[in-house]
Amino acid sequence: MLIQPYSPESEQAALAIVLGSPSHSADLLSQMHVGMFYNPANRLIFEGFTGMIRDEVPIELLACTEYFSNRGILEKVGCASALTELYGQFATPAHFSHYSAILSDRWKQREIIAICQETSTIASGSLEGQSVDEHIAAFTERVLALSLDRQQHKERTFKELCDKAIDDFNEAIKNEGRINGTSTGFSQLDNYTGGHVAGQLWVIGGGTSDGKSAMDQQITLHKASKGIQVATYSFEMPDMEVVGRFFAMDTGIDAQKFKRGFQSREEMGICIRSHGILRNLPITIRDVSGMKLSPLIADIRTLATRGVKHFSIDYAQLVEGDGSTANREAEIAKVSRTLKATAKQLNVSINLLSQLNDDGKLRESRALGFDADVVITLSTPTTQKRDGKTITEERDETKRNCFIGKNRNGKRNVLIPMSFDGSTFTFREIKSQTS
């Protein structure tokens, strides 16, 4: 039988510090969880301590003995003598982080062992209706979840949240005029939305050829130029086509010339200078046609552990679900819901692109709008042309309307007119206007 890794000394020391530090017990307990304790008696003591905090009972020796006795767990942890022995241990709060780190490491080791055993069992037996890739993605996600910094997600009291809020307010006063998040490269869009804030999901919608991919790629390129690690998942365009667009945006040279050939040495020189800049940008491109949701989330987690802070998915309707439902609207809803939860958990921002239906609304699922923090839709303005009795509408391909339909932390129903250069896939804001 495999011996499970655990540290009895660290388990006892961590609990002793909690018991001996009643004024700090709630904070200390919030930095641990029951899975970190392997010994059954120590698990019960931890659960008893957390119950006392919940019931507003001070964690002191006599109060603990009475509380444990009333709930029938005193004998299970070794009677009152066990608590007395725990209280008598020499352990100070200054050493708590050392012991809690050991407990966290041992718990992760046990989890990895359990995951590997399950993987071995499934690999040598039935796949239970799932593909090999789906099993790999599921196990990868579980392993990567262990690498998340638990301190990032620890619960904070309302008092701590209020203190954090006032600090943020003071910081905003010092940095008047600056946005809260990272810039999109569009000043008016930043002013209305505050930029991309960690934990947010943005949905950028557009009809065919309205430029949703181009806008997202321009945002990606801008962030990377500022040193922010970014990743884009292209479900439709080959990776080399995305790179070609980046060259066109950076050089201002017609994208078609990158395929047909340059007409002058000067253009080639501009391209070479651009290459020296672009090749060093912190951009990851995933060419992922046909990737399902579970592997996508697993890969996002992997890149987040490597420092990627902003992700783009182009586009929602091409992300395949896990096959649990034949309803495509429900599948798209799961995609947006999962991506929103992932952005919040990993403390990153995500752009999710979406097609629009014939009515100009997000296609296949209203959940895209419900889950998103910001919803932007792009459209091409039209002009009417009269030829006798016949009236036709023509698209103005040099212009785009950028409409902020949802903005969780700012003004919504805002129209930002933009110019659009289709030869270089480049947007530029014209002026601010509300509708």
Side-chain angles (χ1 to χ4, degrees):
M1 181 177 179
L2 183 64
I3 299 177
Q4 294 288 336
Y6 88 105
S7 172
E9 298 83 6
S10 297
E11 290 189 10
Q12 285 278 296
L15 293 172
I17 292 171
V18 173
L19 183 57
S21 311
S23 60
H24 302 289
S25 56
D27 179 60
L28 296 174
L29 287 169
S30 71
Q31 299 177 50
M32 302 185 292
H33 58 90
V34 69
M36 293 166 68
F37 295 90
Y38 180 73
N39 182 285
N42 291 335
R43 292 172 69 95
L44 283 175
I45 292 174
F46 176 84
E47 291 175 333
F49 285 169
T50 55
M52 293 176 74
I53 294 296
R54 184 179 57 251
D55 297 337
E56 299 183 347
V57 178
I59 297 183
E60 298 171 346
L61 181 58
L62 293 178
C64 285
T65 303
E66 182 179 359
Y67 187 89
F68 281 37
S69 177
N70 291 339
R71 279 153 184 78
I73 61 174
L74 186 60
E75 291 187 2
K76 295 178 181 179
V77 303
C79 299
S81 59
L83 295 178
T84 302
E85 182 180 345
L86 195 65
Y87 184 75
Q89 287 194 29
F90 180 75
T92 66
H95 300 143
F96 179 79
S97 60
H98 169 72
Y99 293 120
S100 64
I102 293 175
L103 296 185
S104 179
D105 286 344
R106 297 297 178 271
W107 166 68
K108 290 177 181 179
Q109 288 177 284
R110 295 194 296 272
E111 287 294 294
I112 291 173
I113 289 172
I115 292 170
C116 290
Q117 289 176 331
E118 291 178 36
T119 306
S120 177
T121 300
I122 292 175
S124 59
S126 171
L127 295 178
E128 299 178 354
Q130 287 187 300
S131 68
V132 173
D133 286 342
E134 287 172 331
H135 278 294
I136 291 173
F139 288 121
T140 300
E141 185 171 350
R142 287 177 61 185
V143 172
L144 289 171
L146 297 177
S147 67
L148 292 176
D149 183 5
R150 183 171 169 77
Q151 294 304 308
Q152 179 180 319
H153 307 288
K154 86 166 187 174
E155 294 182 6
R156 291 180 286 186
T157 66
F158 184 67
K159 178 181 178 181
E160 290 172 329
L161 293 172
C162 287
D163 291 344
K164 177 67 168 59
I166 202 67
D167 289 341
D168 290 345
F169 298 155
N170 284 327
E171 193 66 24
I173 293 173
K174 294 178 186 176
N175 300 317
E176 186 177 3
R178 297 184 186 177
I179 60 175
N180 295 329
T182 60
S183 174
T184 62
F186 299 102
S187 59
Q188 293 181 48
L189 186 58
D190 287 344
N191 288 337
Y192 285 120
T193 62
H196 281 103
V197 177
Q200 284 189 344
L201 172 68
W202 286 30
V203 170
I204 301 177
T208 303
S209 300
D210 281 335
K212 58 184 180 294
S213 296
M215 170 169 276
D216 178 68
Q217 289 157 358
Q218 192 171 341
I219 291 172
T220 296
L221 189 59
H222 174 78
K223 289 184 185 295
S225 71
K226 301 300 180 182
I228 299 169
Q229 292 191 52
V230 294
T232 181
Y233 292 83
S234 182
F235 283 79
E236 185 176 37
M237 293 184 198
D239 50 9
M240 286 306 299
E241 185 174 346
V242 176
V243 171
R245 287 192 171 201
F246 285 153
F247 270 97
M249 291 174 186
D250 187 62
T251 61
I253 297 174
D254 189 329
Q256 290 300 317
K257 292 185 178 182
F258 290 94
K259 299 177 181 178
R260 297 195 304 262
F262 299 117
Q263 297 177 346
S264 69
R265 290 182 178 275
E266 181 183 0
E267 288 180 336
M268 188 62 202
I270 294 172
C271 184
I272 291 173
R273 286 193 293 273
S274 179
H275 169 263
I277 296 172
L278 292 178
R279 69 187 303 272
N280 293 313
L281 293 181
I283 299 176
T284 299
I285 299 176
R286 293 286 200 247
D287 190 337
V288 289
S289 300
M291 178 180 274
K292 293 190 176 182
L293 180 60
S294 293
L296 172 64
I297 297 303
D299 196 64
I300 290 175
R301 286 182 178 275
T302 301
L303 294 182
T305 63
R306 299 174 186 171
V308 175
K309 296 298 183 183
H310 178 77
F311 296 85
S312 298
I313 291 91
D314 185 9
Y315 51 89
Q317 285 74 22
L318 293 179
V319 180
E320 295 188 21
D322 57 11
S324 59
T325 174
N327 187 320
R328 186 56 182 158
E329 183 172 342
E331 281 196 334
I332 296 297
K334 183 176 181 180
V335 168
S336 66
R337 183 172 62 251
T338 304
L339 287 171
K340 171 56 186 175
T342 301
K344 186 176 178 182
Q345 183 184 33
L346 300 179
N347 206 34
V348 299
S349 57
I350 297 177
N351 276 359
L352 175 62
L353 278 58
S354 172
Q355 292 179 324
L356 299 181
N357 59 25
D358 293 338
D359 297 325
K361 296 180 180 180
L362 297 172
R363 184 176 169 183
E364 290 186 318
S365 180
R366 290 178 296 174
L368 288 168
F370 295 153
D371 296 324
D373 297 279
V374 174
V375 176
I376 296 169
T377 53
L378 297 173
S379 61
T380 304
T382 59
T383 56
Q384 289 188 342
K385 295 291 182 71
R386 180 183 293 274
D387 183 10
K389 294 182 179 181
T390 303
I391 299 176
T392 59
E393 289 191 346
E394 292 185 1
R395 288 164 55 101
D396 185 351
E397 297 294 350
T398 66
K399 302 258 188 330
R400 293 293 187 271
N401 289 327
C402 175
F403 183 72
I404 306 174
K406 179 180 180 181
N407 187 8
R408 200 181 296 276
N409 296 312
K411 192 173 183 179
R412 58 183 179 176
N413 296 329
V414 175
L415 180 66
I416 305 175
M418 294 186 173
S419 65
F420 179 65
D421 183 351
S423 67
T424 60
F425 307 102
T426 304
F427 285 84
R428 287 184 176 84
E429 293 172 329
I430 298 175
K431 62 180 180 178
S432 177
Q433 177 181 326
T434 57
S435 61

